Amino acid sequence: MRHLITPLDFTVSELTQLFDLADDMREHQAQYAHLCEGKKLATLFYEPSTRTRLSIETAMLNLGGRTMGFSDAGSSSAAKGESVADTIRTISCFADIAAIRHPKEGAATVAAQFSRIPVINAGDGGHQHPTQTLTDLLTIRNLKGRLSSLTIGLCGDLKFGRTVHSLVNALARYQDIRFVFISPPELRMPDYITEYLDDQNIPYEEYIKLEDVIGRLDLLYMTRVQRERFFNEEDYVRLRNFYILDAAKMSLARNDMYILHPLPRVNEISVEVDNDPRAAYFRQVQYGVYVRMALIATLLELI
Amino acid sequence: MLNVGKIEEGFVLDHIKAGKSLEIYHHLGLDKMDCTVAIIKNARSNAMGKKDILKVECDINTLNLDVLAFVDPNITINVIKNGEIIEKKMLPLPKQVKGIIRCTNPRCISTIEQELPQIFYLADEHRAIYRCRYCDAAYNPNGITG
């Protein structure tokens, strides 16, 4: 039995298979419409999420399966003090596969340790969000036709942004990847990520101004400064408006530089950019459904 | 100078930082073993000024010393057989440390989940960095970093 706790749980060749399956599901959706008939997905969401929960549930419904679960800790037995270990042991008796989101880092690791069914980490605090990473990789592969030989800019909150940490670790396994980290000094990429890149001889540069480097990028991954990651409201207010991507900045970018964003967006991408053909963040949401379909089918060993 | 008799078989753990011997006694689980142990505290040392020494009389195959490299890599491990030193051991850093240190990342699941074992893995041998098995936060004796 397999779980998805971090993006590195799958090898590069396993990811290629997963993405091939996701592409096939996108092209031949009807062929997979009954694949999960009789199977149940439990969504255990201890903190609010619209996109990820609905995306995973949509993926299961598209495959003909059913879904159940809770969408905040208040309506679960966690409110009575039940541990993650006990919850997953119980859910293992009801469902065939579970997706868990929890505010504490490592919660999905604990769930997988005690589970009798495959566990999908749907986000554990500021730690990992592997289905977002799979979404990002599938999107990049479809937009650029490859996952190698790319210069990728990551902009915004690089300190607390779990999606960027996971994405860097995942992309670092492909050939000829160059990273450009764009952030205010307070939100720069953590040392353990840059040390890892140094050890692997993977080139990266750090910038403060987006305008200085946007013209050299193949892809720009924007992130939101997240209020919930700050203990101090003052710091949040000071940093949330640091980057706003608008039409003027996009005029400096290449014609084939796509913009990705894990969403939700607040104000870091101006709405005037939405109609730019390079704005790919809503297409990214659609790819997220296909990659989660492929993931569910793979973890349930139905393929 | 205090004299403690020779041991026939076991270990002499020398150059323990002064005052740390009891901590090591517990880390090695010696409190749960039925063997003779001498704890020498604040012995005179030319190199260290003061040091602690632990003498443990036991079958040399029964005691797992792996954790020592994590607790204090400067400890000298003398292996004794038939009353003689047969080996001075240098231990590599253990791949995993269980139940020795606690994760202090306030966001880690191990801070709220009952009875979860505290496990750290060796993430970077070169820099001697251990990370929490659950949240990947690096262990630092003064608090969690990176």
Side-chain angles (χ1 to χ4, degrees):
Chain A
M1 183 179 63
R2 293 191 69 173
H3 309 283
L4 178 74
I5 306 303
T6 86
L8 305 184
D9 288 347
F10 283 64
T11 64
V12 169
S13 80
E14 285 172 334
L15 285 181
T16 303
Q17 281 177 30
L18 190 81
F19 298 148
D20 289 346
L21 177 60
D23 284 341
D24 199 55
M25 286 176 159
R26 179 167 59 91
E27 285 160 26
H28 309 102
Q29 203 162 326
Q31 282 180 22
Y32 296 93
H34 302 284
L35 188 67
C36 285
E37 247 167 28
K39 301 287 184 189
K40 293 186 285 292
L41 163 78
T43 49
L44 318 176
F45 276 60
Y46 293 80
E47 67 173 5
S49 154
T50 320
R51 205 168 329 277
T52 305
R53 183 171 60 82
L54 293 181
S55 177
I56 290 177
E57 289 184 357
T58 302
M60 190 55 162
L61 294 171
N62 286 349
L63 295 168
R66 294 182 185 191
T67 69
M68 59 185 179
F70 54 86
S71 54
D72 71 90
S75 62
S76 79
S77 51
K80 298 173 191 162
E82 187 176 54
S83 65
V84 169
D86 284 1
T87 301
I88 196 71
R89 279 191 279 224
T90 307
I91 298 299
S92 295
C93 303
F94 305 149
D96 300 287
I97 187 166
I100 180 171
R101 167 167 288 197
H102 197 286
K104 290 289 183 185
E105 300 173 9
T109 305
V110 174
Q113 198 175 315
F114 292 93
S115 181
R116 288 192 292 108
I117 57 175
V119 171
I120 297 170
N121 182 4
D124 57 341
H127 186 218
Q128 296 282 355
H129 192 358
T131 64
Q132 180 66 51
T133 309
L134 298 187
T135 300
D136 299 340
L137 294 178
L138 179 67
T139 308
I140 294 169
R141 197 176 89 144
N142 276 283
L143 292 173
K144 304 299 287 185
R146 64 188 189 277
L147 282 166
S148 55
S149 303
L150 292 168
T151 300
I152 297 165
L154 298 113
C155 177
D157 174 8
L158 306 186
K159 181 179 180 186
F160 296 111
R162 62 185 168 192
T163 54
V164 292
H165 302 165
S166 295
L167 184 58
V168 168
N169 279 331
L171 280 168
R173 299 195 291 179
Y174 293 89
Q175 295 296 311
D176 191 24
I177 294 289
R178 297 163 300 276
F179 292 108
V180 180
F181 302 140
I182 308 136
S183 73
E186 298 91 333
L187 295 177
R188 64 180 286 274
M189 195 60 89
D191 288 343
Y192 77 91
I193 302 262
T194 52
E195 282 168 6
Y196 171 75
L197 296 176
D198 286 334
D199 289 347
Q200 304 290 316
N201 288 321
I202 296 167
Y204 67 90
E205 300 167 78
E206 294 184 285
Y207 283 84
I208 293 174
K209 282 183 75 178
L210 179 56
E211 297 90 313
D212 289 348
V213 72
I214 194 168
R216 291 201 281 118
L217 304 177
D218 293 314
L219 277 160
L220 174 60
Y221 197 94
M222 292 293 292
T223 63
R224 168 174 67 102
V225 175
Q226 299 178 80
R227 180 193 294 264
E228 60 267 34
R229 304 291 169 228
F230 286 85
F231 286 127
N232 181 340
E233 179 75 10
E234 268 176 40
D235 286 345
Y236 166 69
V237 170
R238 186 167 50 84
L239 294 168
R240 69 179 170 187
N241 294 328
F242 208 92
Y243 296 107
I244 294 174
L245 182 62
D246 54 19
K249 289 191 186 107
M250 283 304 293
S251 70
L252 304 171
R254 288 187 201 153
N255 290 332
D256 61 350
M257 187 215 72
Y258 291 99
I259 312 156
L260 302 186
H261 190 301
L263 303 179
R265 154 184 63 177
V266 182
N267 64 346
E268 59 280 1
I269 302 177
S270 169
V271 289
E272 68 188 9
V273 177
D274 293 355
N275 293 326
D276 189 308
R278 295 167 292 183
Y281 27 94
F282 293 114
R283 275 175 276 173
Q284 196 178 348
V285 177
Q286 189 64 60
Y287 284 119
V289 175
Y290 298 124
V291 88
R292 289 177 176 107
M293 287 168 67
L295 178 66
I296 290 170
T298 302
L299 293 180
L300 285 173
E301 298 176 5
L302 297 172
I303 294 293
Chain B
M1 180 72 180
L2 182 71
N3 279 317
V4 177
K6 276 175 68 170
I7 55 176
E8 274 302 302
E9 180 173 352
F11 300 97
V12 176
L13 309 179
D14 201 357
H15 303 111
I16 299 171
K17 207 170 163 189
K20 289 282 180 189
S21 52
L22 261 183
E23 212 175 283
I24 286 166
Y25 175 85
H26 287 291
H27 286 328
L28 293 177
L30 292 170
D31 50 333
K32 297 176 192 83
M33 288 174 71
D34 183 30
C35 56
T36 307
V37 179
I39 300 171
I40 303 161
K41 203 178 146 191
N42 293 331
R44 276 193 294 275
S45 161
N46 290 335
M48 301 169 72
K50 282 193 294 186
K51 65 178 180 180
D52 285 5
I53 303 167
L54 269 179
K55 288 190 169 190
V56 185
E57 179 121 53
C58 67
D59 179 339
I60 56 174
N61 300 310
T62 57
L63 194 60
N64 184 352
L65 299 170
D66 289 353
V67 73
L68 288 181
F70 173 76
V71 178
D72 183 352
N74 298 317
I75 293 174
T76 307
I77 301 166
N78 300 296
V79 185
I80 314 289
K81 187 104 182 179
N82 300 322
E84 301 294 331
I85 296 175
I86 59 163
E87 188 187 354
K88 280 186 181 285
K89 264 192 173 177
M90 286 295 292
L91 291 176
L93 286 170
K95 298 282 179 221
Q96 183 177 290
V97 176
K98 195 172 174 182
I100 304 289
I101 46 174
R102 294 192 67 82
C103 184
T104 56
N105 173 10
R107 300 181 182 94
C108 179
I109 186 72
S110 68
T111 60
I112 58 162
E113 189 86 353
Q114 306 157 29
E115 294 174 33
L116 205 57
Q118 292 278 338
I119 302 171
F120 283 72
Y121 67 92
L122 181 59
D124 185 333
E125 197 165 0
H126 177 62
R127 299 185 185 91
I129 292 171
Y130 282 83
R131 292 190 179 278
C132 171
R133 182 220 153 126
Y134 307 104
C135 71
D136 291 306
Y139 173 73
N140 173 325
N142 305 313
I144 290 283
T145 56

